[in-house]
Amino acid sequence: MAAPSTSTSSKACNSVMFWTHDHEAILCREVVNVNPYTSKKGSTQRSSMWEKIADTLNKSKCTVPKFRVDKRSIRDHVGILVYKHKKKLLAEEKATGITPDEPNWKTYWI
């Protein structure tokens, strides 16, 4: 019985990318630039806009941060960023006796 072989090259292609603040800032700039939310949800136009954003990020000339994303991963991550932002705003509204933090770059782009 032979053990299944694992190829190191296949693992390199499926490496996981961790999102940093720099990644999120560049992603937000690209989403604002292309604005995929102007087209109808589920349309091929919107899909091609997400694909364009993914291609732009993957082919960017900057080496740090390096992107390995597809259209679904960036669409999902933008959804996560919007959800976290809404959650933060609701928590600030419910809190009493505090002053909200100064807006940062995420506030302006989301």
Side-chain angles (χ1 to χ4, degrees), residues 5 9 15-16 20 72 92:
S5 63
S9 63
S15 63
V16 176
T20 64
R72 182 174 180 174
E92 287 176 354

Side-chain angles (χ1 to χ4, degrees), residues 76-96:
D76 291 346
H77 196 71
V78 168
I80 291 169
L81 290 175
V82 169
Y83 172 76
K84 286 181 180 179
H85 181 70
K86 287 180 180 180
K87 188 175 175 182
K88 179 183 173 190
L89 290 178
L90 286 173
E92 287 176 354
E93 286 179 10
K94 289 180 182 180
T96 58

Side-chain angles (χ1 to χ4, degrees), residues 3-46:
S5 63
T6 57
S7 174
T8 56
S9 63
S10 66
K11 287 183 181 179
C13 293
N14 295 329
S15 63
V16 176
M17 188 191 97
F18 294 99
W19 290 92
T20 64
H21 293 293
D22 294 336
H23 285 106
E24 291 173 350
I26 295 170
L27 172 64
C28 288
R29 275 189 237 140
E30 283 299 317
V31 170
V32 168
N33 185 29
V34 176
N35 199 4
Y37 296 105
T38 57
S39 60
K40 186 177 176 183
K41 186 175 182 178
S43 67
T44 56
Q45 293 169 339
R46 192 177 219 182

